[in-house]
Amino acid sequence: MSFGRRVAAVYADIWRTYWGWMPSLLVFAVIVFLPLGLLDALSLQVDVDSLDLTSGIKIAALALAVGAVTMTGLLGEIFFSGAIAISLTHSHGEGPPRLREIAGRIKYGRLIVVDVAFVAIVAAGLLAGLVPGLLAFVFLGLAGPIVEIEERSATASLRRSFQLVRGNFWLVLWILVPIEVLGDAIGGGLAGLVHHQLGDSFLGTWLAEAAANAALSPVFAVAAVLLTVQLIAAKEGTAPPLHAAATPA
C-alpha cells in the first residue's frame, strides 16, 4: 500500500470510529474540558503590555504568557486520549462502557503527569522554534493511550511513544498535525460564535474555550488511539482489539 493510501485509510478509520462513538465521546469531552476551559480563559486574560515591567522582564513575561497559552491549549488532550483508549479497547462487547466504569479505570496520576510533561515539552520546543515543538508534538503524541493500553508508567509511556513513532514519523505527522491545526481553526470559529452570543466576558471566554475543546479533542483522541494500536501491532505482531465499528450515532 502506498503512503498516501495508508494515510487515507487511517483517516477513514478515524471518521468511522468517531461517528460510531460520538455520543459517549462528546459527553466525556464535556466532563473533561469544561473545567479545563477555565484555565484557558484565565491564560487568555493575561495582558503583558498593561503590566508595569522593565523591557527585559516584559520579554520574559511575554514568553511565559505564550507558553501558558500553548500549555492550556493542549492541556487535556493527552489525558483525554488515554481515557478514550479505555472505551475503544475494552474487552466486553461493542457498546461503550459506562462513564462510571471509565472513571474507575483511568490511571489519573500517570495520565496527568504525562499530559503536563507533554504540554511542557511541546511549549518549550515551540519557544525554541517551530521544528523542535513539532518534533516533540509528533514523537510524544501517543503517550496517553499507551498509559492505558500497555499500563506503563508516565516516563515509560513517553519513551514508548518515541519508540513507536520512530520509523513512522511521517505517518503520525500527517495524521496528528493536520487534525490539531484544523481543529484549532474550527475551534476558533466555534469560540467566535460563542463569544458573539455571550460577549467577551470571562464567562463567555470560559464557555467558548470549553466548547471548542470538547467538540474537537475527541477527533485527536480517536486518531491517537488508532495510531497507537496500529503501531503496536506493527512492532509487536499483536495489539489489543479495537472496537471501531460501534452502532452509528
Side-chain angles (χ1 to χ4, degrees):
M1 181 184 296
S2 67
F3 179 76
R5 289 184 177 181
R6 188 181 180 192
V7 171
V10 174
Y11 274 113
D13 288 342
I14 292 169
W15 171 248
R16 283 194 298 268
T17 304
Y18 175 79
W19 181 249
W21 293 87
M22 185 168 59
S24 58
L25 288 172
L26 293 180
V27 169
F28 194 61
V30 170
I31 294 173
V32 171
F33 289 103
L34 186 60
L36 287 177
L38 179 61
L39 295 179
D40 282 349
L42 289 171
S43 68
L44 292 172
Q45 296 297 311
V46 177
D47 184 3
V48 175
D49 289 333
S50 66
L51 300 177
D52 185 16
L53 302 172
T54 63
S55 59
I57 298 177
K58 184 172 290 189
I59 292 173
L62 178 60
L64 289 174
V66 171
V69 171
T70 302
M71 288 181 69
T72 55
L74 292 174
L75 194 64
E77 286 193 345
I78 299 301
F79 179 93
F80 186 68
S81 63
I84 294 306
I86 296 175
S87 292
L88 299 185
T89 61
H90 70 91
S91 59
H92 52 80
E94 291 293 329
R98 295 181 180 275
L99 290 177
R100 180 180 298 178
E101 179 183 349
I102 296 176
R105 291 181 55 188
I106 291 175
K107 298 172 181 61
Y108 292 95
R110 298 182 195 178
L111 281 177
I112 290 172
V113 171
V114 167
D115 202 349
V116 173
F118 170 80
V119 170
I121 293 170
V122 171
L126 289 174
L127 289 175
L130 177 61
V131 173
L134 182 64
L135 291 174
F137 179 84
V138 174
F139 275 111
L140 303 180
L142 307 183
I146 290 171
V147 168
E148 296 295 346
I149 293 173
E150 297 191 328
E151 299 185 348
R152 294 174 181 261
S153 67
T155 302
S157 295
L158 291 167
R159 186 164 53 247
R160 175 66 162 169
S161 178
F162 181 87
Q163 293 170 349
L164 290 177
V165 174
R166 185 176 55 189
N168 296 278
F169 175 83
W170 292 109
L171 174 65
V172 178
L173 182 146
W174 280 105
I175 300 299
L176 295 187
V177 173
I179 288 175
E180 184 69 24
V181 173
L182 184 60
D184 283 346
I186 297 175
L190 179 60
L193 290 176
V194 176
H195 277 299
H196 180 71
Q197 297 296 322
L198 300 178
D200 292 327
S201 64
F202 179 79
L203 176 62
T205 300
W206 178 10
L207 295 180
E209 295 301 315
N213 287 329
L216 298 164
S217 290
V219 182
F220 180 91
V222 169
V225 174
L226 289 178
L227 284 171
T228 301
V229 171
Q230 289 184 13
L231 296 183
I232 290 174
K235 188 177 182 65
E236 307 295 343
T238 184
L242 186 66
H243 302 297
T247 302

